[in-house]
Amino acid sequence: ETNYLLTVYIAECHNVWSSIFGLTVIGLIGMFHGNPLNEKRVLVSYVILAIIGVGSSLLHATLHWAFQSFDELPMIYLVLGGLYSVLEVDAPRGTDKFGPKLPRNLVMVALAATCAYYKNQQNYLAFLTVFNSCTVILAVLHCKVALGIYREWRLCISSGSANGSGYKNRSIALWFWIWHLIVYLVIASSIWVVDQFACDYLLPYYNKMPFPFRGCTLHVVWHIAAGFGAHLFVQFLVASRLTALGYDFEIRWFFLAFPTVVLCTKEHKL
């Protein structure tokens, strides 16, 4: 986005509001409406997502190097939090399947990643390497969870219990998984690639758009799609965990736009 195109006070206006709406607001929605069991793992994920939005908005508003880490480091922390949630997805409430060593090791990884980040802060490729490496591990593990749910879903069909709650719950979990892939992998990631490599070519066209859209780039779509994709991913983990624990749940649409998992009744277990 062309700097200070719309006002002399904010460097990249569109990137600021899209960071707040696409990341922070979605994070706040998840905090208050996307955590049916009130578990810390879900709360932490949404808090980090909201912090990413704040850091991104400050970076785009000021273009000051100090806010770059406020934007990028929490992205690594969010992936590490996702690793914990995936590995502990079927652990009984109040217990850790891997004990205290898992969160301790993940904290150590986060500290090591933080040190490596500040040592190579001017090298964006180093950040991408660390972030993408963690993301690939998370992708493999969460696909393994989805595959297990899919097999159980097929078993419900073959056993003639496709009308039961078990089938419905697994259908919901798979729905979130599929849409997470579509929104983040297909839409957001594709837009990020185009934005990175074709920005200079597209910039004159962005700047010719009428006010208030003047200067609005594909990076705006990236912010919103990435935040929404992260929300869908967290809700997939929530639905997967509720399925593993035997709770009955359904989808509720917040503001008719944000699907969240809610328990059918507070104490209802299958």
Side-chain angles (χ1 to χ4, degrees):
E1 183 175 342
T2 301
N3 299 337
Y4 302 103
L5 182 64
L6 298 182
T7 173
V8 297
Y9 300 105
I10 301 175
E12 299 174 353
C13 291
H14 294 294
N15 285 336
V16 170
W17 71 256
S18 61
S19 295
I20 294 173
F21 174 75
L23 299 165
T24 302
V25 171
I26 290 179
L28 290 172
I29 291 173
M31 282 184 226
F32 294 104
H33 299 279
N35 189 6
L37 293 182
N38 295 317
E39 293 192 302
K40 291 181 181 179
R41 66 186 73 185
V42 179
L43 177 62
V44 168
S45 293
Y46 280 118
V47 168
I48 295 175
L49 183 62
I51 290 174
I52 293 173
V54 173
S56 178
S57 63
L58 291 173
L59 173 63
H60 288 297
T62 65
L63 299 181
H64 198 286
W65 65 268
F67 296 118
Q68 185 173 355
S69 60
F70 199 7
D71 172 31
E72 293 175 346
L73 270 177
M75 293 171 61
I76 297 176
Y77 303 154
L78 182 63
V79 174
L80 293 176
L83 283 173
Y84 174 84
S85 296
V86 167
L87 291 171
E88 296 283 355
V89 69
D90 57 350
R93 291 190 69 183
T95 64
D96 291 321
K97 185 167 61 174
F98 293 94
K101 65 180 180 180
L102 177 60
R104 182 174 62 243
N105 290 341
L106 288 174
V107 169
M108 292 176 63
V109 172
L111 291 174
T114 302
C115 293
Y117 173 86
Y118 281 115
K119 188 176 181 180
N120 303 276
Q121 190 170 7
Q122 302 306 317
N123 186 354
Y124 187 61
L125 182 61
F127 161 74
L128 284 180
T129 300
V130 174
F131 175 73
N132 288 332
S133 298
C134 295
T135 301
V136 168
I137 297 173
L138 177 60
V140 171
L141 292 175
H142 102 283
C143 285
K144 184 178 179 181
V145 173
L147 180 60
I149 293 176
Y150 173 74
R151 287 171 175 167
E152 295 170 354
W153 178 79
R154 290 293 302 270
L155 184 60
C156 290
I157 297 176
S158 62
S159 63
S161 56
N163 293 324
S165 296
Y167 172 82
K168 180 202 69 173
N169 293 344
R170 288 168 177 82
S171 297
I172 291 174
L174 292 173
W175 184 90
F176 276 108
W177 181 71
I178 291 170
W179 276 105
H180 147 69
L181 293 179
I182 293 173
V183 173
Y184 187 81
L185 189 62
V186 177
I187 299 176
S189 297
S190 299
I191 287 175
W192 184 86
V193 171
V194 173
D195 184 57
Q196 288 292 308
F197 295 99
C199 184
D200 292 339
Y201 173 77
L202 295 173
L203 197 60
Y205 297 97
Y206 296 145
N207 294 340
K208 291 178 181 179
M209 291 192 292
F211 183 86
F213 303 105
R214 185 181 308 139
C216 186
T217 70
L218 286 175
H219 204 67
V220 168
V221 184
W222 153 250
H223 283 155
I224 297 173
F228 192 53
H231 165 71
L232 294 173
F233 171 71
V234 175
Q235 289 302 293
F236 161 69
L237 293 179
V238 170
S240 300
R241 179 153 174 76
L242 291 175
T243 299
L245 295 178
Y247 284 92
D248 191 19
F249 57 90
E250 60 189 7
I251 296 178
R252 180 173 298 169
W253 291 80
F254 187 76
F255 283 148
L256 302 178
F258 300 98
T260 57
V261 173
V262 297
L263 297 176
C264 290
T265 59
K266 285 188 175 181
E267 304 297 331
H268 188 195
K269 295 187 68 175
L270 299 178

